[in-house]
Amino acid sequence: MDIGGCVFLASLMVHKKGYSMACCGFMQTFPLGRMQYTGQLSLNSPCRKNLQRFSYLWVLAEALKLLSPIGATGVLSQAVRTHADTVGCIQFQADLDLMRDRLYPTLTSSAGVAEYLFGNALGCMRSEHSDCPANGSLFAFGPQLDGVVGQGDTILGNGFTSVIATTCECTDVSSQNAVENGILTLQDQKTMAAALQNLSVPFLMMFDTVKASQTQLTSYSVLGHMQVCGGFNPSIAPVCFTTINGLSDAAIAATFITDGTTASISLSNSVPEQYFSVTTISVPAVQFALEKIWPPGEVYPLVSNVAGMLNALIYWCSSDLVAVDPTLIEPGMETLYSILLRAGIQRTWDSKGANCVREISRNDQTIVSLTAWGSISIYIAASIQIILSTIALVACAVWYFSATPLGPAVRVIKQPTYFMSVLCESPFAINLNGTGNAQAHVIWQAIDVVVRIGESLETIEEPVGRIKLER
């Protein structure tokens, strides 16, 4: 654009009518300063208005730099996954006639597993994500691996999903109102009182007021000795009301990570890929699995796995793994129910071997795409670039069609040293008298006169001519 501007202005200066010398200062100023330069010219300047409009082109060109980072942030990359083969897996079915208690896993073993469990392996937990369903955490239980996979491999098989929602409130579990409101039974109240007296560690208890309907399972549970409700009354504890609903059969994509050894393979992510129209999972099946691993009315001491830290089952109720955070109890309890429901299904539901489709990540391919704002930014930048490039090419084309050589005029406009040498030999140099300590815009105002540039008649017959500035 600078070359095109110099060529166009040079064509004006070699014309009989000439053009103002202020255009030389205009092109010698950096692009963003050209608008300011035109604003400092005299109001009577013969070129102020045209140069000011001309400067908008450079401002527009510089604005393209702002669109570059916007367009760059719109570029997305996605790993390519392809079906490789099948791998052995174990799938569970919610058949009440085939359910039995295998006595394992247990609450204690689940606490040990929870220490190394990824939250994403359970589905979309509100304790780790903000984009989960508004009505609770999405629990996803997929096929269990019975083979060997590589880093980032995914298996696809039949599984189940449900929505687990929890609300907690500090409640006096020793009051008669708690019994009358159906939060706990009298036996639960006695068991709770004994636990508060005999246990010094935090404990977990699900009350024997579990209710099941055709569509949902509800239960009350309490976290004792947590000291999150304030005061000195240990019977005032956070009581959580949990609902398990939205049961559905689904195809679950289970992703695994490993360091290359078989023993290190672990589930890192569970995502429902497709929901089935026929649902085999039922509320009684969920209740059977949950109550076998977490019997209602029994106290489970939350003994720490590591000294000075919480039990791993309630890690998601804390921000530092040392103390329970009252603001994280509800999403943390949803994660706890997901852990125990997952273990309960493994313990009680009927299982069978199957072959699951294995998807592998392609390291030699990547899918690159653009977001909506990235595409718009690129289209806008490309359109402006094409327009500015066309204007610059048209301006440069003047050089090829001009009957008068434009090279010397281009040098005068573009090169400050050459401009000063030509100016000093012109009659306009006298205009600079008294400007030795003046500001730049004052100097350019002094020589803002219309001139014509060309070869002197005195040297027209000589091999090397002399360039002059005249009116």
Side-chain angles (χ1 to χ4, degrees), residues 17-96:
K17 294 182 178 180
Y19 204 68
S20 173
M21 276 192 295
C23 69
C24 300
F26 176 81
M27 293 306 302
Q28 293 169 16
T29 306
F30 64 96
L32 286 179
R34 287 169 184 169
M35 182 175 288
Q36 181 182 7
Y37 171 85
T38 56
Q40 292 176 343
L41 293 177
S42 172
L43 296 178
N44 298 323
S45 172
C47 64
R48 172 190 170 103
K49 186 176 182 180
N50 293 331
L51 291 181
Q52 198 164 37
R53 293 174 179 175
F54 206 20
S55 66
Y56 293 146
L57 296 178
W58 278 272
V59 174
L60 190 60
E62 293 297 322
L64 292 178
K65 298 178 180 179
L66 299 177
L67 294 177
S68 298
I70 299 177
T73 56
V75 179
L76 301 177
S77 63
Q78 182 180 0
V80 177
R81 310 186 68 87
T82 59
H83 294 297
D85 51 13
T86 60
V87 64
C89 63
I90 300 174
Q91 296 182 351
F92 293 81
Q93 54 183 349
D95 191 337
L96 293 173

Side-chain angles (χ1 to χ4, degrees), residues 4 71 105 133 135 197 227 313 345 347 365 388 397 430 458:
N135 56 340
Q197 292 179 358
Q227 300 175 354
L313 286 176
I345 292 175
R347 174 170 170 164
Q365 296 182 6
L388 294 179
I430 195 173
E458 300 173 357

